Amino acid sequence: MKKVLTYGTFDLLHNGHINILKRAKDLGDHLTVAISSDEFNELKGKKAYHNYETRKLILEAIRYVDAVIPENEWEQKIRDVVENEIDIFVMGDDWEGKFDFLKDYCEVVYLPRTVGISTTKIKKELQKVQNG
Ligand code: C2G
């Protein structure tokens, strides 16, 4: 069984998230998603709309996702790959090259981001509508 792993906040779920989750799953047989904790989001300088439990609940409902684990720190990726016997690590190409150190442990694949959508864009456009 080929196991795939990816990381993210996955706030305000949108088609960009679904595309990468589908593509990641299509690379293997089992997809684990490490979802950023609220504390880790602070480290990333992100303020998610949904808290960790809600974002986890939503991710677990996606047909491409087989397991969800918490992402609490930058340093956990090697351990996650080894402990979960991961064959392929996947991230959007906005992270191109950032996780190449994992190549000693698994295949590393950066996939093209979905153009035209992001959680930040959704929040901005909603604010414009509300402000009229
Ligand atoms: N993504 C995408 N296309 C978009 C938006 C996001 O392919 N239009 C991808 C990102 O490249 C990432 C995943 O969806 O691979 C999750 O995106 P975020 O929730 O923004 O995750 P991020 O904050 O980049 O967290 O340790 C890694 C970090 O936790 C990654």
Side-chain angles (χ1 to χ4, degrees), residues 21-69:
L21 292 172
K22 180 184 186 322
R23 290 173 191 155
K25 179 61 181 281
D26 287 347
L27 291 173
D29 309 294
H30 182 283
L31 173 62
T32 299
V33 180
I35 182 169
S36 309
S37 66
D38 296 327
E39 297 74 17
F40 184 64
N41 271 333
E42 274 176 49
L43 275 180
K44 286 197 283 187
K46 276 196 164 187
K47 178 87 185 74
Y49 175 81
H50 290 304
N51 68 19
Y52 171 80
E53 287 309 321
T54 301
R55 289 182 285 112
K56 181 170 182 285
L57 174 81
I58 293 168
L59 264 191
E60 285 172 340
I62 298 171
R63 70 174 62 200
Y64 308 120
V65 176
D66 298 292
V68 177
I69 61 175

Side-chain angles (χ1 to χ4, degrees), residues 8-10 36 44 46 71 77 92 94-95 113-114 117:
T9 298
F10 295 99
S36 309
K44 286 197 283 187
K46 276 196 164 187
E71 177 183 31
K77 290 188 172 67
D94 46 316
W95 293 93
R113 278 174 69 93
T114 301
I117 185 73

